[in-house]
Amino acid sequence: MPSRRTVLAATAGLTAALALDGTAHADDRRLRALISRMTLEEKVGQVFVTRVFGHSATAPDEADADANLEELGVRTAAELIARYRVGGVIYFAWAHNTRDPLRISELSNGLQRAALQQPGGVPLLISTDQEHGVVARVGGPATLFPGAMAIGAGGSPGDARTLGRLAGRELRALGIRQNYAPVADVNIDPANPVIGVRSFGADPQAVAALAAAEIGGYRSAGIATTAKHFPGHGDTAVDSHTGFPVITHTRQVWEELDAVPFRAAIAAGVDSILTAHLLVPALDDSGDPATLSRPVLTGLLREHLGYDGVVVTDALDMAGVRTKYGDDRVPVLALKAGADQLLKPPDLGLAWNAVLTAVREGELTEERLEESVLRILRLKDRLGLFADPYVSPAAVERTVGVPAHLAAADRIAERTTTLLVNEGGLLPLSPRERPRLLVVGADPASPSGTTGPPTTVLAAALGDLGFTATALSTGTSPAPEAIAGAVTAAAEADAVIVTTYEVTAGSPQRTLVERLSATGRPVVAVAVRNPYDVAHLPSARACLAAYSWTDVELRAAARVIAGTVTPRGRLPVPVRHAADPAQLLYPIGHGLTY
């Protein structure tokens, strides 16, 4: 794990060179002049970032046009931009924005043309959530890297910086200039349903070093970075997409734990910080979520931490920000609290008109609105969007998913796979001694970085290494007949590989592993998400943590199983006994090798 000295070295001296610190904005006069020419409606539009359906700004598929009409009141992205003059658009795979690299670049160009064709047109800030690992909106053939907790297991700021630099080059070629990454949360709750492996780990100093390094890599590629989720989402068992988390940290615990990576991110010049829809009573006892809390966003982030960059809300259609106020009040309160970008409101028209009305009626001053617009324009200017917002097909061809980037992702992944258990030196397996492998287990819904179900991808990777590997999906909650079928199939194998996904004490996945172990065939468990699975799998003779089920991490796990690479990953989180969580099973830094 990176030491405190590594953290300081990674962040020292970068503030003056990189951070938007509010002390020297040479182009403010020009940007303020631009703001002075904007109508109130145009200023309101600049603070909104919205989704839109389709792969074309002007000619989406009919189903996407219908979805736009139903959700946004327009049929095309160009119409949306003309109506609301939004400052940003966020891409999602489910919105059909990211079908293939050339189409993504064409969509980006179309969106920019639509924005610049408006009177006094201002370029858009196009964004996405490309965290890698389990959250990646742009899939293959773009390069997919290991996710944050895998990078935490590798423990290398150099790898984090390389990830940011290469992934950033690909995003820039696609016209995506703001990435909602890295996650700066310190994951200390094993039951955390929303952060987990999206975090670099449980050590705040290690998280700080890796977040700062990744920020530096992305910024070197011309990509705006986003540290999230402020003031810290790592110690909660509630998902803010569906509920309202409450974190009981004291102010001192927050300073020593949650604040550390955000301080490092600010020192590293992070361009934006994304808020969390959760309550920390020690920071604000009003009952308001952090996204709507002036003591948190202005008091802590702006004044205490000295941050003057863009503050972006987490998506405003999430339950955590909608429990206390209506959808017309949330965007106004977020701006009053200190936010600048309002991300993905559930009803754009309602939210846009609410902010417009709040300014006209004096609840929100136009001066306060212009502060946010200026920060957004500063960021667009720093990214060069006023000079050249467009991208070229040639840049896509020479940048996205090129062999050098794919090879770098494979090398990084090999340094992250963590061997947790290896009884009797079972691993590595030899295709000469144990040629027939059965790969069974969980096949969770595939993220963007996969070409198929984990059992299929892992079996194919093992086949490439000389084994005869058969895939048999038993699901994340295998039924008794599925378990019986796996046991029968194991009779024809020399060893069994089981992919596991979020195993709990009563999980049928645990029963599957126990029944397979009882056959006498050696069982290797590969945790394809949480490394905490190992605590529930005492019957497995070997256990690996892959931290995700994307192709790059499954291929690395296969190479570790076969011994073509040596396992080098170390746990970035502690694993506690399943029966007695007070007892430590494996500490941070645990990892075997051979």
Side-chain angles (χ1 to χ4, degrees):
M1 293 296 105
S3 66
R4 184 175 182 84
R5 180 177 297 176
T6 303
V7 176
L8 296 174
T11 60
L14 290 174
T15 302
L18 298 174
L20 291 172
D21 62 3
T23 61
H25 298 293
D27 294 320
D28 272 8
R29 183 176 299 178
R30 175 172 54 85
L31 297 176
R32 289 184 190 276
L34 173 59
I35 293 172
S36 72
R37 296 191 296 271
M38 288 181 174
T39 66
L40 177 58
E41 290 81 1
E42 289 167 347
K43 295 173 191 175
V44 169
Q46 278 298 306
V47 302
F48 282 97
V49 181
T50 185
R51 82 280 192 197
V52 65
F53 289 86
H55 61 82
S56 169
T58 56
D61 294 343
E62 192 62 29
D64 290 324
D66 290 344
N68 284 328
L69 190 61
E70 180 179 353
E71 294 196 17
L72 300 166
V74 296
R75 292 185 64 81
T76 71
E79 293 172 15
L80 180 143
I81 291 167
R83 177 176 296 185
Y84 295 110
R85 304 299 292 275
V86 293
V89 171
I90 179 172
Y91 286 172
F92 292 98
W94 53 259
H96 307 147
N97 306 139
T98 58
R99 288 182 176 176
D100 65 71
L102 283 175
R103 283 191 174 187
I104 297 171
S105 67
E106 291 168 359
L107 174 61
S108 298
N109 284 341
L111 292 172
Q112 296 292 8
R113 278 192 296 271
L116 294 173
Q117 285 170 358
Q118 303 306 311
V122 176
L124 291 170
L125 191 52
I126 298 173
S127 60
T128 197
D129 291 287
Q130 193 75 352
E131 297 174 12
H132 295 271
V134 301
V135 176
R137 310 304 188 197
V138 181
T143 305
L144 277 298
F145 287 85
M149 193 170 285
I151 297 298
S156 168
D159 283 348
R161 190 173 297 107
T162 296
L163 182 160
R165 185 179 70 254
L166 300 185
R169 289 175 183 172
E170 298 198 10
L171 289 177
R172 179 167 181 161
L174 299 173
I176 299 169
R177 300 300 297 275
Q178 183 180 25
N179 190 14
Y180 295 131
V183 171
D185 302 313
V186 182
N187 196 81
I188 60 172
D189 187 344
N192 195 320
V194 64
I195 304 301
V197 293
R198 297 168 62 197
S199 163
F200 290 110
D203 178 348
Q205 301 296 335
V207 173
L210 295 170
E214 191 169 299
I215 287 166
Y218 275 114
R219 285 177 60 89
S220 71
I223 296 298
T225 51
T226 309
K228 60 188 186 184
H229 307 76
F230 189 84
H233 208 319
D235 188 16
T236 173
V238 175
D239 183 347
S240 53
H241 290 85
T242 57
F244 185 34
V246 178
I247 292 181
T248 58
H249 291 182
T250 65
R251 174 63 181 260
Q252 181 177 349
V253 169
W254 179 81
E255 292 279 5
E256 296 174 353
L257 184 78
D258 305 285
V260 174
F262 289 102
R263 288 184 186 276
I266 293 168
V270 71
D271 306 277
S272 52
I273 291 179
L274 185 141
T275 68
H277 302 327
L278 49 76
L279 176 65
V280 187
L283 305 181
D284 180 3
D285 62 3
S286 68
D288 288 344
T291 296
L292 308 182
S293 168
R294 185 170 178 81
V296 172
L297 297 193
T298 298
L300 275 185
L301 184 54
R302 297 268 190 228
E303 298 170 358
H304 180 63
L305 297 184
Y307 179 66
D308 190 40
V310 172
V311 173
V312 53
T313 70
D314 207 344
L316 297 183
D317 59 358
M318 294 167 58
V321 78
R322 303 172 74 188
T323 56
K324 188 174 179 181
Y325 302 101
D327 292 337
D328 59 332
R329 296 298 300 151
V330 166
V332 175
L333 295 174
L335 288 170
K336 292 176 71 173
D340 300 307
Q341 285 186 310
L342 305 175
L343 177 62
K344 201 168 164 278
D347 185 330
L348 177 60
L350 178 69
W352 188 90
N353 280 294
V355 173
L356 184 66
T357 299
V359 177
R360 285 177 171 167
E361 295 182 351
E363 180 185 3
L364 186 68
T365 68
E366 193 162 356
E367 180 182 17
R368 167 66 193 91
L369 178 64
E370 289 178 355
E371 289 176 6
S372 289
V373 175
L374 179 59
R375 290 191 186 98
I376 294 165
L377 296 184
R378 282 174 183 161
L379 180 52
K380 292 181 179 183
D381 192 41
R382 189 187 71 74
L383 294 171
L385 288 169
F386 285 99
D388 184 12
Y390 299 110
V391 293
S392 71
V396 174
E397 294 289 347
R398 66 173 177 262
T399 307
V400 178
V402 295
H405 291 186
L406 297 171
D410 278 331
R411 289 193 300 271
I412 290 172
E414 289 173 355
R415 294 190 279 270
T416 69
T417 307
T418 308
L419 179 60
L420 302 173
V421 176
N422 194 21
E423 292 181 5
L426 173 63
L427 296 181
L429 300 179
S430 165
R432 292 187 299 275
E433 297 175 6
R434 301 185 188 274
R436 299 172 302 169
L437 302 182
L438 175 66
V439 182
V440 304
D443 278 332
S446 296
S448 295
T450 63
T451 56
T455 52
T456 301
V457 173
L458 186 55
L462 290 164
D464 291 340
L465 295 169
F467 296 94
T468 300
T470 302
L472 177 63
S473 176
T474 51
T476 56
S477 184
E481 54 268 27
I483 294 174
V487 169
T488 299
E492 304 298 321
D494 298 303
V496 182
I497 316 297
V498 184
T499 61
T500 68
Y501 180 85
E502 297 185 343
V503 180
T504 60
S507 171
Q509 293 182 69
R510 178 172 180 167
T511 303
L512 171 68
V513 172
E514 291 172 347
R515 289 281 306 278
L516 289 168
S517 297
T519 67
R521 299 294 188 271
V523 172
V524 179
V526 180
V528 298
R529 184 168 182 139
N530 294 332
Y532 311 112
D533 286 5
V534 65
H536 300 283
L537 304 172
S539 64
R541 283 183 53 189
C543 291
L544 291 170
Y547 306 101
S548 179
W549 60 103
T550 53
D551 287 10
V552 68
E553 287 161 296
L554 292 174
R555 288 195 304 265
R559 291 192 288 273
V560 167
I561 290 169
T564 59
V565 300
T566 300
R568 295 170 58 183
R570 298 290 182 267
L571 274 177
V573 293
V575 174
R576 300 190 176 277
H577 281 271
D580 183 6
Q583 292 190 37
L584 188 63
L585 183 62
Y586 300 114
I588 291 176
H590 172 76
L592 306 176
T593 190
Y594 41 75

